[in-house]
Amino acid sequence: MKLLSKRQRCSISYGVTWCGALLLTLGGDPTQSLADQVIHTLDAIDMNPALIDSSIEKKGVEGFYTLYLNGVLQNGFVFVFVDDALHLYMAENDFRALGFAVAVPAVERNGINVVPLFGQNGVSAQVDSTRMALLLEVPPGWYSETHINLIPSQLRKITAAVPGALFNYSLQFIREGNTALSTSSGQSLSIFGPIGLFQVSTAMTSFDPISSGSRFRRLGATFFHDNEKNLTTFTLGDSVVPSSVGVPAVRFGGVSYQRNFGLEPNFSTLETPTIFNEARLPSTLEFFLNDRRIGSPVAVGAGPFEIGGLPTVDTSGQIKVLIRDALNNERIVTIPYIRSPRLYRKGLHSFSYTAGWLRPDLDRYQTPFMITTHRYGWTRWLTLDAGVTASAASKSLGISATFPLRNNMIGDVSMASSRSAVGAGQQFGSSTQWLGKRSSIGVSINHSSRLFRLLGDTGDDQDRPRNDFRLFAAHEFSSNFGGVSATFGRLSVWGGATRLISSLGWSKSFERFSVSINGVRNNNSTAILLILNVSLGPRGFLSNSVQQQDGELALRADYSSLPVVDLGTGYRMGIAANYPKQGESQQSAYANIDARSPYGEYGLDVDIRPEQTSWRMSTAGSVGILSKHPFLGPPINSGFALVSTGDVSGVSIYRWNLPVAVTDSRGLALVTDLSPYQDNLLALRPDDIPFEYRITSTEVTAVPHGRGGIFVEFPIYRERSAVLVLQLPDGRPIPAGTIVTILKTHESALVGLRGETFVQNLPEQTEIEIPISRRYCRVVVNRPQNDDPQPRLGPYTCAFEEKK
């Protein structure tokens, strides 16, 4: 192997003086200049590399070497010093350039700062004289740690909210046989803007609109304010308390302040699996679940690494991590994990504070109360819950703990106590769940004392259900045998009685159809249900079922088209027959059709039986205004956007490359079902834009709030191009190559032959400035009001003025 050329070797950062002084030990002539000594010595080494070898062995002389770090060839060269005891040192600046995190003190040898490569724990260094290489082995701990979280943080910018209003409505007309026509309707008005959303929901029913009139009910009126930065939500008005340990789900009117992790869709409350490992070389990690690669490969540098947020599925299991280093050496690490929404990661805290009046009926408020609930990830393996309620009628306190056991088992225990007018009561509960690769099993037990009461319970409910025992198990066989499930429950019911219920089921999916058999046993009743579903591809589905219960037989067969997910029509039709144990059999036929247009949804259901015919008609839609633009649309229950393309109509709007809307005559299109707080890529195709328009961007990333809509505007501008003929006062054309300026838009244009200049965007009225040498002139141009896409205007004559 040939050494560095003398120019390369003397260009290294140590400098010619330092390099020459070292190389003199190999026999440099002191009468020569320093540069000549260096060149002479390097020439000698090139002709006889053994000089370096013998010098190292006999004199301990330093030199330049290629470096193999943990077996991988590095770029460039390093300087190595060898002392009389044949100990190896590396020049300090070369050592620091390798990026080690370990601080090894440098020493001085022959006026040079070098780092010893011996006496370090886990470090091996030796010289390969045949290759003129330094072979250096260091442990992974010599490098800095790598920390990566694969769960992305929310760095996106939310699209600014604009004031607007949305009114959702639904209307149904129902008639069963010869009964009177009944109607029902629902309404929801939302007024939203940057500060939040105010929503009022109502319902109206009428069973005989001619004689008894209609009944109007207010379902709720609530103001919402989301704080995306702090992940909290404040509500004022009517709402429902989420159930928790010691806290029931009750309707109320009042105020609530709570943590809302849903404001950041990428946020995970779970203790996601993490791999702690180390690598001697830069490596690539690949992740496998059930022998299938998931996620994207991750590159890590040499050294210890911690990768959090490994990709998983919704059930517990194991992740296999394939680690492949720069030399293609491979090893596999298995990471078990437990995934349950009941477990919080360490240090995570959610809370809610609520105060107001209970609303047992929609028309009245009563019983002031206060509630607070908390969930806290105490450790990696323990999550604690607590709930407290207080009112004039009762008080309660509940606590629970959720924790992993072993072999993918999760357990929790809870207890609550209450004090009310009837006395003190207690409640206890526990459950265990095991989740395997193909199997799962769980059991839960709950017991309440006779005097246990929660908020909203009346004091005289002595015979309420008090005991609950449930057991379930499921197993998925190989693809040839399907899966089975079984359940058993012993449940208390009102009046002190006990209800036993058990079930056993089997299901199997084939290429074109699926089949399932389920049996359910109650106290004194048994039912067996057989279901066969057949896929017809794009033509829809066939579904058939047979049920036998206590000697009665029920048959059902129907056909349905693919569901309507955007615009279009879907339908379903079928027949049913019931054969009771006693009495006559009953047959019926039914059909329904559903349609969805840009302006609403419509449905018609018909049920035909020998004794009567029943039908139902329904319609639903929305009316709104956003950024001063009114619109009509289907029911909107999630994020939406009103998209503007200026005055260009008939432009298709795409969401993630799928067409979702077309702009109307106003250049507006309504896009519904946007994902709140997430990127929604809206785009259009340049081919859909007429020639006379200019568009600066064909894609817009919309990130709507969780409540209300956003206004998205594509930057489309109509270009009024024209050819202007400009001439001097003597009638000669403006010289070719002159650059003129349109003063109103500050755009420039180049004059061509015969004084002609093409202006891409000519305003209705503007001045054109024309420089000639040190003089200039201006002409006033008025664009004609016609449909000519590119008129020829002029000639325009200008008079010169001196440039000031």
Side-chain angles (χ1 to χ4, degrees):
M1 175 179 177
K2 190 174 181 180
L3 296 178
L4 283 169
S5 70
K6 44 184 169 285
R7 295 190 182 276
Q8 290 174 321
R9 293 168 64 188
C10 287
S11 64
I12 297 180
S13 60
Y14 308 111
V16 174
T17 302
W18 182 70
C19 181
L22 294 174
L23 293 173
L24 284 176
T25 60
L26 295 178
D29 187 351
T31 63
Q32 295 178 327
S33 67
L34 182 59
D36 289 339
Q37 294 175 30
V38 172
I39 294 173
H40 172 80
T41 304
L42 294 175
D43 283 336
I45 293 175
D46 288 341
M47 295 175 62
N48 187 10
L51 290 174
I52 290 290
D53 300 341
S54 62
S55 299
I56 290 176
E57 294 175 359
K58 297 177 182 181
K59 304 179 181 179
V61 176
E62 62 275 11
F64 291 94
Y65 296 86
T66 56
L67 174 65
Y68 284 84
L69 182 58
N70 288 344
V72 177
L73 177 64
Q74 306 296 303
N75 294 326
F77 297 83
V78 296
F79 186 83
V80 177
F81 177 84
V82 186
D83 63 12
D84 294 338
L86 298 182
H87 290 150
L88 298 178
Y89 300 78
M90 183 186 297
E92 182 182 17
N93 51 347
D94 281 341
F95 182 84
R96 305 299 179 213
L98 295 177
F100 296 132
V102 175
V104 181
V107 297
E108 185 177 342
R109 292 291 184 271
N110 293 346
I112 306 168
N113 290 332
V114 293
V115 174
L117 302 181
F118 59 93
Q120 309 291 338
N121 188 25
V123 176
S124 170
Q126 57 181 326
V127 170
D128 184 346
S129 58
T130 60
R131 294 185 291 174
M132 289 302 296
L134 173 65
L135 309 181
L136 181 61
E137 300 285 337
V138 300
W142 271 45
Y143 295 92
S144 299
E145 294 186 8
T146 300
H147 297 273
I148 300 176
N149 188 359
L150 299 182
I151 300 177
S153 59
Q154 180 165 341
L155 301 177
R156 59 185 59 85
K157 182 179 180 182
I158 299 177
T159 306
V162 295
L166 176 67
F167 179 75
N168 277 313
Y169 64 88
S170 64
L171 180 62
Q172 295 188 65
F173 300 90
I174 304 174
R175 184 162 189 173
E176 296 183 1
N178 297 323
T179 62
L181 179 69
S182 64
T183 63
S184 64
S185 65
Q187 303 82 31
S188 175
L189 174 63
S190 302
I191 302 174
F192 50 85
I195 64 172
L197 175 143
F198 177 71
Q199 186 176 66
V200 179
S201 300
T202 60
M204 187 179 301
T205 58
S206 172
F207 294 98
D208 190 350
I210 298 177
S211 59
S212 48
S214 60
R215 183 181 181 185
F216 175 83
R217 306 192 74 178
R218 180 179 63 85
L219 303 180
T222 312
F223 170 76
F224 302 88
H225 174 74
D226 295 328
N227 188 322
E228 295 86 1
K229 182 178 180 181
N230 296 329
L231 299 181
T232 57
T233 294
F234 171 80
T235 62
L236 173 63
D238 301 313
S239 188
V240 176
V241 176
S243 63
S244 182
V245 55
V247 178
V250 292
R251 289 194 302 262
F252 76 98
V255 296
S256 178
Y257 179 69
Q258 59 186 330
R259 181 77 72 190
N260 186 356
F261 295 123
L263 300 180
E264 186 176 343
N266 291 324
F267 188 89
S268 175
T269 62
L270 304 177
E271 187 66 64
T272 55
T274 300
I275 177 174
F276 302 90
N277 214 290
E278 58 184 20
R280 296 175 62 253
L281 297 171
S283 303
T284 300
L285 278 63
E286 299 181 30
F287 311 104
F288 293 84
L289 272 175
N290 300 328
D291 298 326
R292 296 183 62 182
R293 188 167 70 177
I294 59 173
S296 301
V298 175
V300 296
F305 59 83
E306 175 186 345
I307 311 295
L310 301 186
T312 63
V313 292
D314 291 335
T315 58
S316 301
Q318 292 181 337
I319 301 175
K320 290 184 178 180
V321 183
L322 173 65
I323 304 175
R324 181 184 296 111
D325 65 22
L327 295 178
N328 283 326
N329 297 314
E330 295 183 351
R331 55 193 174 97
I332 294 179
V333 178
T334 300
I335 309 296
Y337 71 92
I338 295 180
R339 187 176 181 89
S340 170
R342 294 179 291 170
L343 281 174
Y344 271 14
R345 63 174 182 261
K346 181 180 179 180
L348 188 63
H349 178 215
S350 65
F351 58 83
S352 70
Y353 300 94
T354 306
W357 291 263
L358 291 179
R359 194 186 182 199
D361 299 321
L362 296 179
D363 300 328
R364 63 189 178 97
Y365 299 88
Q366 65 180 30
T367 314
F369 72 93
M370 291 188 299
I371 293 177
T372 180
T373 63
H374 298 265
R375 172 172 288 186
Y376 183 71
W378 185 262
T379 68
R380 180 181 177 89
W381 306 108
L382 177 62
T383 298
L384 301 178
D385 285 83
V388 179
T389 69
S391 70
S394 66
K395 300 177 180 62
S396 65
L397 168 66
I399 58 174
S400 71
T402 303
F403 43 85
L405 298 172
R406 55 180 300 178
N407 298 328
N408 292 338
M409 293 184 65
I410 301 175
D412 61 14
V413 294
S414 64
M415 58 181 178
S417 64
S418 69
R419 182 171 294 276
S420 63
V422 299
Q426 298 80 35
Q427 183 184 63
F428 303 93
S430 66
S431 68
T432 302
Q433 184 177 5
W434 176 76
L435 300 173
K437 184 177 180 180
R438 293 181 177 270
S439 305
S440 62
I441 187 171
V443 60
S444 65
I445 302 174
N446 288 279
H447 169 74
S448 301
S449 66
R450 187 174 60 87
L451 300 181
F452 181 75
R453 301 289 186 271
L454 288 177
L455 183 68
D457 291 342
T458 59
D460 57 352
D461 293 336
Q462 302 293 329
D463 296 329
R464 65 179 61 248
R466 295 191 297 118
N467 297 292
D468 186 301
F469 173 79
R470 300 172 188 266
L471 173 68
F472 75 89
H475 180 73
E476 186 72 25
F477 295 103
S478 63
S479 58
N480 295 327
F481 297 99
V484 296
S485 62
T487 64
F488 173 78
R490 183 184 181 92
L491 315 176
S492 297
V493 295
W494 284 91
T498 299
R499 180 186 181 191
L500 299 178
I501 182 171
S502 59
S503 68
L504 180 65
W506 171 83
S507 62
K508 174 73 173 68
S509 295
F510 299 88
E511 182 178 359
R512 285 288 184 178
F513 67 94
S514 63
V515 60
S516 66
I517 302 176
N518 294 276
V520 180
R521 172 70 180 174
N522 288 317
N523 286 23
N524 50 14
S525 175
T526 302
I528 299 176
L529 176 64
L530 170 65
I531 300 177
L532 175 65
N533 293 316
V534 181
S535 173
L536 302 178
R539 293 176 293 175
F541 305 91
L542 283 176
S543 179
N544 306 274
S545 66
V546 179
Q547 178 175 318
Q548 194 278 338
Q549 182 174 4
D550 299 334
E552 296 187 358
L553 186 65
L555 306 176
R556 190 180 185 95
D558 62 38
Y559 163 78
S560 60
S561 64
L562 294 178
V564 179
V565 295
D566 189 14
L567 304 180
T569 302
Y571 53 90
R572 180 183 180 186
M573 61 186 67
I575 56 175
N578 294 319
Y579 299 95
K581 192 173 182 179
Q582 296 178 352
E584 297 182 358
S585 61
Q586 299 178 354
Q587 291 81 32
S588 64
Y590 55 89
N592 79 289
I593 182 170
D594 295 309
R596 182 181 173 97
S597 76
Y599 307 107
E601 296 177 350
Y602 319 93
L604 173 62
D605 297 81
V606 179
D607 186 277
I608 303 174
R609 303 188 181 194
E611 67 277 7
Q612 68 176 28
T613 298
S614 304
W615 55 269
R616 178 179 67 92
M617 295 179 61
S618 63
T619 181
S622 63
V623 180
I625 184 170
L626 186 64
S627 190
K628 301 181 180 180
H629 298 285
F631 62 88
L632 299 174
I636 300 176
N637 300 305
S638 61
F640 70 95
L642 193 61
V643 181
S644 171
T645 57
D647 59 351
V648 186
S649 61
V651 178
S652 296
I653 306 298
Y654 293 81
R655 178 174 178 256
W656 297 117
N657 298 322
L658 295 176
V660 292
V662 178
T663 58
D664 57 17
S665 59
R666 302 172 298 166
L668 298 174
L670 181 66
V671 179
T672 60
D673 298 327
L674 297 184
S675 300
Y677 302 109
Q678 297 188 50
D679 292 342
N680 295 267
L681 182 63
L682 303 179
L684 49 80
R685 294 180 177 175
D687 295 344
D688 294 341
I689 307 301
F691 172 76
E692 64 269 22
Y693 289 85
R694 175 167 55 95
I695 181 169
T696 59
S697 177
T698 60
E699 295 182 350
V700 173
T701 299
V703 185
H705 292 259
R707 314 180 199 277
I710 57 175
F711 187 74
V712 176
E713 188 172 12
F714 280 93
I716 300 178
Y717 308 97
R718 184 169 186 175
E719 294 184 337
R720 302 282 186 167
S721 59
V723 175
L724 307 181
V725 180
L726 306 176
Q727 62 184 21
L728 299 171
D730 59 5
R732 290 182 300 145
I734 299 296
T738 302
I739 298 177
V740 303
T741 303
I742 297 88
L743 296 182
K744 193 166 186 177
T745 62
H746 302 287
E747 296 181 2
S748 300
L750 184 67
V751 177
L753 299 176
R754 298 179 298 277
E756 297 178 350
T757 180
F758 174 77
V759 179
Q760 189 172 12
N761 187 21
L762 183 66
E764 293 184 4
Q765 184 179 37
T766 187
E767 287 186 294
I768 308 293
E769 184 179 87
I770 308 169
I772 300 294
S773 187
R774 296 180 57 83
R775 298 181 296 170
Y776 74 97
C777 65
R778 294 182 179 179
V779 297
V780 176
V781 176
N782 293 310
R783 190 184 68 224
Q785 300 297 322
N786 55 41
D787 296 332
D788 190 345
Q790 186 175 301
R792 179 183 175 87
L793 307 177
Y796 295 97
T797 303
C798 64
F800 288 104
E801 298 181 13
E802 293 295 329
K803 189 85 172 178
K804 296 182 181 179

